[in-house]
Amino acid sequence: MISSVFLLCVVGLSLTQIQFSSADLVKQTCRQTPNYDLCVQTLRSDPRSSHADVAGLAMVMVDMIKAKSIATLHKIGELLGTAPDPKTKATLRRCAQLYDNAVLKADIPSAMEALKTGNPKFAEQGANDAANEADSCERAFSGASPISSFNRSVSDLSRVASAIIRLLL
Amino acid sequence: MADPNPARTFNDPEDPIIAATVPDHYSPLLDVDPPAGENSRRPLKGFLVILSGLLLVGLLMALIGKSGPSVSQKTDLTLNAPAESTNISAQFLEPVSRGPSAGVSEKSFRLHSGVRAPFPWSNTMLSWQRTGYHFQPEKNWMNDPNGPMFYGGWYHFFYQYNPDAAVWGNIVWGHAVSKDLIEWLHLPLAMVADHWYDTNGVWTGSATLLSDGQVIMLYTGATNESVQVQNLAYPADLSDPLLVDWVKYPGNPVLVPPPGIDDRDFRDPTTAWYGPDGKWRIAIGSKVNKTGISLVYDTEDFKKYELIEGVLHAVPGTGMWECVDLFPVSLKEDNGLDTSFNGPGVKHVLKASLDDDKNDYYAIGTYSLESGNWTPDNPNLDVGIGLRYDYGKFYASKTFYDQNKQRRILWGWIGETDGESADIKKGWASVQSIPRTVVFDKKTGTNILQWPVEEIKSLRKSCKKFDKLEVGPGSVVTLELEKATQMDITAEFEIDKEALKRIGESDMEYSCSTSGGSAQRGELGPFGLLLLADEGRCEQTPVYFYVAKGTDGQLKTFFCTDESRSSLANDVDKRIFGSTVPVIKGEKLSMRILVDHSIIESFAQGGRTCITSRVYPTKAIYGAAHLYLFNNATSANITASIQTWAMKSAYIRPYSSHAF
């Protein structure tokens, strides 16, 4: 009885150890970013993270920036539909441009391609720039931003991505 | 001597700043009872005890795998020099602290300066940034120079290009031709990503000209599975001097990563040189763990290759070697040599672009065809740990033999150092350096000399001469009030002999990148020129010499470019670059500077030390950009003789389409 229990324990333990090893890479990687909790939470929410190397984790993060940016664009569209005052309207339009032209059309594809093809040095700037664009958009509202949480999200995720990419250099 | 290598990681546990500010991100260990010593009479209790024990052991083992402290945000180490007065008189510019550590790691600088408060760039400011006479495509992103050669009466230049955006990606080969390396005609794209073996990127490669007139182009392709392979391409029509159309060898790829080499560490094939037994040889950069290496292959037909045992050379700790280049230089003659040349009176330069720190390093040594190895003259100055082609922004460079004028010519990719958002806004990113001739420096025997090609002089107009200007300590002299944005400048300096005799020893080793730049005063420096400076000198880019007596009692000359006040914008890199430059007894201190809007190329002592800089002023642009001479030394008088030329813009346009 004891030996079979022992065997069960060993097998069970080995399985948990395997999980610990890949969770370790997530933790290890996230420890070297400016926002550990966000990093871990984001990576863990994606099943790819459990068998990814650092480059793979970076790609998961960049994908999340993409998702958040798309969500931000949708929100901007929604807000524009509520007929806001001219100033807000203009700023929303400007932000839409930043997210569309810069983040989604340039930064994200460039960073993804660089990570995919093993050229991480070209991914770093893309991630940094995504944060810049989000910050730029937020600043443009001069304190009265209706999309603060979205901008904040993209900015924070981008900084985390940038730090992960830095580990590849 | 090169500035000490910046620390490679920012999460260095030795770094006192990091160690002191490490927040603990650990979840506390599960509180688990250690296994009890005594026997339990109840099997369930025993089972639980053993299970807990095993779990504890497992947890401990898993947690032992952790490493490295966390990194918290460092305080922003931006330089804040006080604004200077506008009159031309003694200036006491306060030296600025660079932070507690001995050197600001380039990587940490980039970390917290990678995301910076964006500057409200106007279209006027952005459009000024475009160069007047440096090679760049009409728009979008460019990086490495590819396959440069002289063929059919034309200089051919290819380059990594993104046809869709001003950021890296979708890389294909751009193409341009020139008669003089200065005026260029843009041609259609030479190669695009249209095969499985280069669908993820038509990357860097080199040309080999065969004696029977064939043109061989080898280049790296990133396959559909992101494996790096080498491919062969050749002109569709050798009778077309413009070599517009290219054909890819149907049997591609001709080389795939060999065993032991990672799929992503195998790229940038070189120009071939003639090996033993009538075969050709090429080199390809790679790495094994952290050791940068260069593999060598033999080939007879450029289609089938044989990996030569061993490596051309390897240097531990240098990381991935990109854009490897091996070429001979003559020890006696001033002309360049064909890539295959070897024999007495010849040394070989081996160069690698280090992926890890984005700089180009070279070393002079001996290449033996028999052994297939290259050995450095001085192992302390080996590839990657010694001299650099250029101490500023300069990467992925490549030489070629110009059989037209018997020169060895060097091309270098000069990327942007502004924010990517500005690049996207202005619609382009990157320029190429003005092509430089490369020769062995006979006077020092330890350096090569790089110099802008002679043809650049064809752009010179309206010369101004300033002969033997005396500049006392702490003064500024106005040289040019008209728009000093496209200039060619040569300057010679002499330090008064008394000051040289007087100078005391310094117990601190000076270094351009860790100094306070032109604001840090020493007895014999800094002195030089202020480029792209507005009238109030709120913005200025000094290029200067700084002479000091080292801890060994020897005089050392430093040549630096100080970007710290080049722009009021904070979302651009503002570093101080430079290195020591050997000065032979009797030589005056001399510099040559090419100013072309947002690029400044500086050469000291005939090209012994070079610095390329990208600057993005917001005020010192168009007519507001002036040129000054300055001497910020505390004790030395400087005598300067300067010549300046305004530079015409170069004709760099698309080739007219009706020719096809």
Side-chain angles (χ1 to χ4, degrees):
Chain A
M1 156 83 196
I2 291 289
S3 55
S4 46
V5 162
F6 181 79
L7 200 66
L8 203 71
C9 290
V10 169
V11 169
L13 196 61
S14 331
L15 289 172
T16 51
Q17 273 210 11
I18 290 167
Q19 248 186 2
F20 275 141
S21 308
S22 53
D24 247 13
L25 183 62
V26 168
K27 278 185 176 177
Q28 206 175 312
T29 304
C30 288
R31 240 170 250 136
Q32 296 172 86
T33 71
N35 195 328
Y36 177 83
D37 291 329
L38 176 66
C39 177
V40 169
Q41 188 192 337
T42 306
L43 291 177
R44 282 204 179 136
S45 72
D46 192 308
R48 290 177 288 169
S49 301
S50 52
H51 3 265
D53 54 10
V54 179
L57 294 178
M59 282 192 251
V60 169
M61 197 58 68
V62 171
D63 260 341
M64 187 55 83
I65 301 170
K66 180 178 178 184
K68 288 290 174 177
S69 302
I70 293 173
T72 310
L73 268 181
H74 286 160
K75 185 68 184 175
I76 291 174
E78 235 180 75
L79 290 169
L80 283 170
T82 66
D85 63 276
K87 187 160 183 257
T88 308
K89 197 174 183 182
T91 313
L92 282 170
R93 286 229 170 96
R94 185 173 151 210
C95 283
Q97 261 214 325
L98 293 178
Y99 275 101
D100 195 23
N101 289 344
V103 180
L104 287 168
K105 291 206 172 106
D107 298 333
I108 301 290
S110 182
M112 269 313 230
E113 188 178 333
L115 289 169
K116 218 174 58 147
T117 58
N119 238 312
K121 66 176 175 287
F122 293 120
E124 199 188 4
Q125 269 229 294
N128 286 339
D129 189 58
N132 270 334
E133 307 291 8
D135 291 348
S136 228
C137 164
E138 187 64 14
R139 232 175 245 112
F141 285 106
S142 316
S145 168
I147 49 172
S148 266
S149 61
F150 289 86
N151 284 330
R152 181 84 218 204
S153 197
V154 173
S155 180
D156 288 347
L157 286 167
S158 303
R159 284 159 206 261
V160 169
S162 178
I164 299 178
I165 292 166
R166 170 51 54 80
L167 301 174
L168 300 166
L169 298 174
Chain B
M1 202 38 260
D3 280 335
N5 253 336
R8 306 254 162 163
T9 55
F10 59 75
N11 55 345
D12 183 352
E14 309 292 285
D15 188 319
I17 295 175
I18 303 287
T21 54
V22 169
D24 188 21
H25 282 306
Y26 273 115
S27 8
L29 268 182
L30 291 176
D31 214 1
V32 183
D33 287 329
E38 62 274 15
N39 281 329
S40 164
R41 274 173 296 150
R42 281 193 266 164
L44 179 63
K45 190 174 176 189
F47 164 78
L48 283 171
V49 159
I50 292 168
L51 182 65
S52 332
L54 287 168
L55 276 171
L56 172 65
V57 169
L59 274 165
L60 280 172
M61 285 174 65
L63 287 163
I64 282 165
K66 66 126 180 129
S67 70
S70 327
V71 174
S72 62
Q73 302 280 2
K74 279 197 192 179
T75 47
D76 188 14
L77 298 171
T78 36
L79 294 171
N80 271 316
E84 302 117 69
S85 57
T86 54
N87 58 1
I88 302 170
S89 62
Q91 304 214 336
F92 292 97
L93 308 168
E94 294 297 326
V96 186
S97 166
R98 288 284 293 180
S101 44
V104 177
S105 147
E106 287 212 9
K107 290 219 168 187
S108 67
F109 181 94
R110 275 207 292 279
L111 169 69
H112 52 257
S113 60
V115 185
R116 299 161 288 195
F119 186 83
W121 293 100
S122 70
N123 283 331
T124 312
M125 293 170 190
L126 292 178
S127 50
W128 174 87
Q129 292 171 9
R130 212 165 154 86
T131 66
Y133 56 89
H134 281 71
F135 179 85
Q136 53 182 133
E138 294 180 283
K139 57 177 183 172
N140 291 341
W141 167 278
M142 166 173 67
N143 52 295
D144 305 7
N146 297 153
M149 60 178 176
F150 182 81
Y151 178 87
W154 292 89
Y155 288 99
H156 287 261
F157 181 69
F158 304 87
Y159 54 96
Q160 299 281 278
Y161 180 62
N162 184 348
D164 302 327
V167 296
W168 183 88
N170 315 306
I171 296 295
V172 298
W173 272 38
H175 184 192
V177 289
S178 169
K179 285 289 190 183
D180 64 356
L181 293 168
I182 300 298
E183 318 232 299
W184 291 89
L185 301 169
H186 294 305
L187 293 176
L189 300 176
M191 294 196 286
V192 297
D194 53 8
H195 286 79
W196 68 268
Y197 50 74
D198 59 15
T199 189
N200 273 321
V202 188
W203 288 354
T204 292
S206 311
T208 307
L209 300 178
L210 305 187
S211 48
D212 62 3
Q214 279 189 79
V215 176
I216 300 290
M217 195 69 85
L218 288 173
Y219 71 96
T220 299
T223 69
N224 55 348
E225 290 179 349
S226 297
V227 177
Q228 291 168 12
V229 299
Q230 316 312 322
N231 301 310
L232 167 65
Y234 38 83
D237 179 6
L238 282 170
S239 68
D240 168 20
L242 297 181
L243 300 180
V244 172
D245 296 306
W246 289 77
V247 169
K248 293 176 185 173
Y249 169 54
N252 277 334
V254 294
L255 271 177
V256 298
I261 296 295
D262 193 278
D263 287 350
R264 307 235 180 117
D265 296 337
F266 186 64
R267 54 185 181 272
D268 312 333
T270 63
T271 296
W273 62 91
Y274 221 55
D277 310 327
K279 293 189 193 158
W280 291 93
R281 275 205 180 150
I282 61 162
I284 299 179
S286 184
K287 70 173 164 87
V288 175
N289 296 322
K290 269 290 185 185
T291 299
I293 65 171
S294 172
L295 303 166
V296 188
Y297 288 86
D298 259 353
T299 181
E300 287 184 61
D301 56 2
F302 293 93
K303 292 169 183 167
K304 286 194 209 39
Y305 294 78
E306 192 191 311
L307 177 61
I308 293 182
E309 211 184 301
V311 292
L312 174 66
H313 194 58
V315 181
T318 52
M320 176 69 189
W321 281 13
E322 301 191 291
C323 303
V324 167
D325 198 5
L326 176 73
F327 59 89
V329 286
S330 171
L331 300 179
K332 300 266 164 55
E333 312 297 332
D334 292 330
N335 51 280
L337 299 173
D338 181 277
T339 310
S340 296
F341 202 90
N342 209 338
V346 164
K347 278 205 189 280
H348 275 74
V349 174
L350 178 60
K351 166 260 168 186
S353 293
L354 295 197
D355 201 14
D356 285 358
D357 70 11
K358 301 183 200 160
N359 290 313
D360 283 4
Y361 291 82
Y362 78 93
I364 303 174
T366 313
Y367 175 61
S368 156
L369 271 176
E370 292 77 48
S371 72
N373 298 128
W374 173 91
T375 341
D377 283 353
N378 181 350
N380 292 324
L381 297 180
D382 208 341
V383 177
I385 60 174
L387 299 175
R388 282 165 53 176
Y389 272 161
D390 190 295
Y391 290 87
K393 181 84 176 169
F394 188 92
Y395 194 65
S397 61
K398 185 182 288 298
T399 66
F400 74 102
Y401 177 60
D402 167 17
Q403 73 274 22
N404 183 37
K405 291 192 174 177
Q406 285 159 49
R407 307 179 284 190
R408 170 75 37 186
I409 303 215
L410 172 72
W411 282 95
W413 165 42
I414 319 295
E416 301 297 307
T417 60
D418 63 356
E420 207 166 74
S421 56
D423 298 344
I424 293 167
K425 203 170 169 191
K426 73 196 188 195
W428 63 270
S430 302
V431 302
Q432 297 290 331
S433 62
I434 294 297
R436 303 173 182 176
T437 52
V438 175
V439 294
F440 177 74
D441 182 9
K442 288 180 264 193
K443 292 189 189 154
T444 62
T446 54
N447 290 56
I448 51 154
L449 298 173
Q450 298 161 61
W451 200 246
V453 291
E454 280 298 293
E455 290 93 325
I456 191 79
K457 291 180 178 170
S458 65
L459 298 177
R460 286 174 169 178
K461 58 176 183 175
S462 53
C463 176
K464 270 194 187 162
K465 249 185 161 160
F466 305 86
D467 219 24
K468 293 200 168 28
L469 291 175
E470 301 260 341
V471 194
S475 29
V476 176
V477 176
T478 306
L479 294 181
E480 183 61 69
L481 281 174
E482 297 289 297
K483 56 182 190 112
T485 55
Q486 285 180 210
M487 311 211 68
D488 187 354
I489 307 167
T490 59
E492 255 181 17
F493 301 89
E494 271 182 284
I495 305 176
D496 78 82
K497 302 235 175 7
E498 285 308 309
L500 277 171
K501 281 196 215 131
R502 266 198 317 263
I503 185 182
E505 244 169 61
S506 165
D507 58 356
M508 254 202 19
E509 195 66 25
Y510 184 88
S511 138
C512 298
S513 59
T514 58
S515 72
S518 59
Q520 180 178 328
R521 312 188 67 187
E523 286 179 64
L524 302 182
F527 56 87
L529 298 171
L530 299 179
L531 309 160
L532 297 175
D534 65 316
E535 208 175 304
R537 288 193 299 285
C538 300
E539 292 183 337
Q540 52 170 282
T541 305
V543 173
Y544 63 88
F545 286 111
Y546 185 96
V547 182
K549 207 175 239 181
T551 47
D552 58 357
Q554 296 295 316
L555 277 181
K556 253 190 184 166
T557 307
F558 297 84
F559 182 57
C560 319
T561 296
D562 178 3
E563 295 176 348
S564 62
R565 275 168 298 167
S566 58
S567 174
L568 293 177
N570 279 323
D571 57 355
V572 300
D573 281 4
K574 290 193 280 190
R575 282 179 246 205
I576 305 174
F577 295 123
S579 168
T580 50
V581 54
V583 178
I584 306 293
K585 200 172 169 69
E587 276 181 356
K588 290 203 186 113
L589 294 179
S590 68
M591 58 167 79
R592 179 165 177 200
I593 305 177
L594 294 175
V595 182
D596 187 7
H597 298 260
S598 59
I599 182 172
I600 298 173
E601 292 189 65
S602 312
F603 305 83
Q605 304 311 100
R608 228 171 252 156
T609 294
C610 312
I611 308 171
T612 301
S613 173
R614 298 301 309 276
V615 291
Y616 308 91
T618 63
K619 294 173 76 173
I621 60 178
Y622 298 110
H626 310 320
L627 173 69
Y628 299 91
L629 164 67
F630 82 99
N631 173 12
N632 207 22
T634 54
S635 121
N637 288 302
I638 302 294
T639 310
S641 296
I642 301 169
Q643 270 198 300
T644 70
W645 294 264
M647 295 290 267
K648 293 184 282 197
S649 292
Y651 186 97
I652 303 177
R653 313 266 165 82
Y655 193 86
S656 70
S657 54
H658 70 254
F660 300 120

